[in-house]
Amino acid sequence: MKNNAPKVLASTLGNMIIAMVTVAAFSGAILGFSYKITKTPIEEAKNARKSAAVLDVVPGEFDNDPFKDRIELTKSGIELYPARQGNKITSIAVKTYSNDGFSGRIELIVGFLLDGTITGYKVIEQKETPGLGTKVTESKFANQFKGMNPKHSNFKVKQDGGEIDAVTSATISSRAIIDAIKRGYKNYTRFSTMTDDEEE
């Protein structure tokens, strides 16, 4: 009697390798396609957050678009956003970061007057603990930086002998904000004195 059952490939090493390669190639193609169609919207959303943050922290009147006039310090990943009235820079925002957050990297936009006085900051990327480290994004913590100058202030949390009240139970996150602002300030002052030595 003739057996009409479908043939099944023998479970050999060669057939298993072929199957694995086929699945991997198919999965890779799907991931590549997904990345391609989502890359632009993700970049646009991130740029929109940065642009809004820049406008939040640069004070006074200006007649340019600081975000469009940004200067990228490619070695360090720092970005500078000069606010101008006519041809004169009146203040500047800096995209800066710290890798020392409780959950890793924190990115923020911080504003400075020309003398280095802080006008404010906005966190644009963070992965801190909800309800604890995320409080560094709130005005209660952020407002105490306004009017401070990293050069002249005791720019540390009070636990380290400084002037800044850390977020309760989130001292590491608080220190990371200070670290990021210091990095932004150092790069701004290097840029303003026209030196090439970027702070990494």
Side-chain angles (χ1 to χ4, degrees), residues 1 26 43 87 97 103 105 137 140 148 176 178:
M1 186 175 181
F26 182 69
E43 283 297 315
N87 293 323
Y97 67 92
S103 299
R105 189 178 179 95
T137 67
K140 182 179 179 180
M148 296 186 78
I178 294 170

Side-chain angles (χ1 to χ4, degrees), residues 127-147:
K127 299 176 183 177
E128 301 302 277
T129 306
L132 291 175
T134 54
K135 289 185 177 180
V136 298
T137 67
E138 298 176 2
S139 59
K140 182 179 179 180
F141 177 73
N143 283 345
Q144 64 185 315
F145 290 86
K146 292 181 179 179

Side-chain angles (χ1 to χ4, degrees), residues 98 100-102 106 108 121 128 132-137 141-142 144-145 155-160 164-181:
S98 175
D100 297 331
F102 185 78
I106 297 177
L108 56 146
Y121 77 80
E128 301 302 277
L132 291 175
T134 54
K135 289 185 177 180
V136 298
T137 67
F141 177 73
Q144 64 185 315
F145 290 86
F155 209 62
K156 301 176 182 177
V157 293
K158 288 182 177 177
Q159 290 92 323
D160 299 333
I164 299 165
D165 289 312
V167 173
T168 303
S169 301
T171 304
I172 293 174
S173 301
S174 304
R175 287 185 180 125
I177 293 294
I178 294 170
D179 176 55
I181 293 175

Side-chain angles (χ1 to χ4, degrees), residues 73 76 78 183-191 198-199:
L73 305 182
S76 62
I78 303 289
R183 179 172 286 106
Y185 173 78
K186 288 177 181 177
N187 279 280
Y188 160 61
T189 54
R190 284 182 170 90
F191 168 77
E198 297 177 21
E199 178 78 6

Side-chain angles (χ1 to χ4, degrees), residues 38-59:
T38 59
K39 181 182 178 182
T40 298
I42 289 172
E43 283 297 315
E44 288 176 349
K46 187 169 184 178
N47 285 337
R49 285 198 305 274
K50 289 195 288 185
S51 180
V54 168
L55 296 179
D56 277 342
V57 301
V58 288

